[in-house]
Amino acid sequence: VLLSVLFFSVPQQPLQAQQGGALRIAALVNDDVVTLFDLQARLNLIILSSQLQATDEVRQRLAPQVLRTLIDDRLRLQETRRQKITVSDQEIDETIRTIEERNKMNRGGMYALLDQYRIDRGTLRLQIESEIAWRKMISNKVRATINISDEAIDDAIQRIEANKGQPEYLLNEIFISMTSSVDETRQIAERLRQQITEGANFAELARSFSQSASA
């Protein structure tokens, strides 16, 4: 069972990566510290990837959600490491290369972009490590409990053949679980909706905030 957060604090003033202040604690997840530097770096990464305006208002609006995702990442890494699940540097590098190819970047272009906007490279690597490790753990658990028969495979193939030529729809979603009060969950949804209506990249917001495996 994943343990709860012991300390939770979100700055109310615009976040500044000031020397010393950036090392203040934003959250304590069991024995793992999330600093204001971590929060600032992840905010910068999300603002950049989601094509948002880097205003103080946007930062303050996103800060609670971003801190929640940082806490989730720490909890996931703690649990996966407890279960001896590891992610190699090569796996992280391959994922970064996939991101570069998806965005039509040359090799090394992602790091160059992070350097240009003074975003710590470790922020991206930690996020990717958490995602890969969690997928591995879920995959291991599913693989151990599910047995797919030849008949089930044949039925799936038949459905695919029968639906050829029929209309198909590509759906994107951001799933927000009811982890706290109804009002807090609604506020999170409203903040995301506002970012999207203002032109934020839906896919990148989903990657950062959706709590579904489809993120």
Side-chain angles (χ1 to χ4, degrees):
V1 178
L2 299 182
L3 299 179
S4 61
V5 177
L6 301 179
F7 179 83
F8 190 100
S9 175
V10 180
Q12 297 302 312
Q13 299 301 318
L15 295 170
Q16 302 292 336
Q18 298 174 346
Q19 187 175 9
L23 298 181
R24 288 169 49 200
I25 294 176
L28 182 61
V29 189
N30 299 322
D31 294 327
D32 199 355
V33 172
V34 177
T35 67
L36 290 185
F37 176 82
D38 298 326
L39 178 55
Q40 176 76 17
R42 181 64 70 87
L43 267 170
N44 289 339
L45 179 62
I46 290 174
I47 287 172
L48 175 62
S49 62
S50 302
Q51 302 170 14
L52 295 168
Q53 291 185 338
T55 64
D56 290 338
E57 180 185 357
V58 168
R59 292 178 185 279
Q60 289 299 316
R61 193 186 305 159
L62 289 179
Q65 300 152 248
V66 174
L67 183 57
R68 181 183 293 275
T69 61
L70 282 170
I71 292 169
D72 289 343
D73 283 351
R74 294 298 200 280
L75 289 171
R76 288 176 175 181
L77 285 173
Q78 289 171 9
E79 179 65 11
T80 52
R81 288 168 180 169
R82 187 183 69 82
Q83 298 194 26
K84 310 300 183 185
I85 295 174
T86 60
V87 178
S88 67
D89 287 338
Q90 181 179 354
E91 289 176 295
I92 297 175
D93 291 338
E94 289 174 352
T95 301
I96 291 175
R97 182 58 190 147
T98 299
I99 294 173
E100 290 173 338
E101 291 173 350
R102 191 172 66 223
N103 289 278
K104 297 180 174 58
M105 293 179 174
N106 295 326
R107 185 178 294 275
M110 193 66 216
Y111 280 155
L113 186 63
L114 294 180
D115 292 345
Q116 178 184 346
Y117 286 89
R118 298 181 179 179
I119 300 173
D120 182 57
R121 297 180 180 185
T123 298
L124 177 61
R125 295 186 70 86
L126 186 66
Q127 180 181 4
I128 292 173
E129 180 186 0
S130 172
E131 292 172 357
I132 295 176
W134 194 250
R135 285 201 302 267
K136 283 184 176 182
M137 192 184 78
I138 297 300
S139 178
N140 291 343
K141 288 183 177 295
V142 170
R143 190 180 297 116
T145 58
I146 293 180
N147 181 26
I148 302 176
S149 66
D150 290 340
E151 290 79 7
I153 295 175
D154 291 339
D155 288 343
I157 293 175
Q158 289 176 8
R159 286 196 300 272
I160 292 172
E161 293 290 340
N163 288 326
K164 276 187 176 180
Q166 298 298 317
E168 297 181 2
Y169 301 91
L170 177 62
L171 301 180
N172 295 313
E173 69 171 5
I174 296 178
F175 174 76
I176 304 171
S177 64
M178 187 71 70
T179 55
S180 53
S181 68
V182 173
D183 287 341
E184 183 177 344
T185 304
R186 181 180 291 112
Q187 288 173 10
I188 293 173
E190 283 297 329
R191 284 195 292 265
L192 289 173
R193 183 194 63 79
Q194 184 171 351
Q195 300 300 331
I196 293 167
T197 57
E198 292 175 358
N201 185 299
F202 188 100
E204 292 300 333
L205 285 181
R207 177 184 175 88
S208 299
F209 296 116
S210 180
Q211 296 166 331
S212 167
S214 64

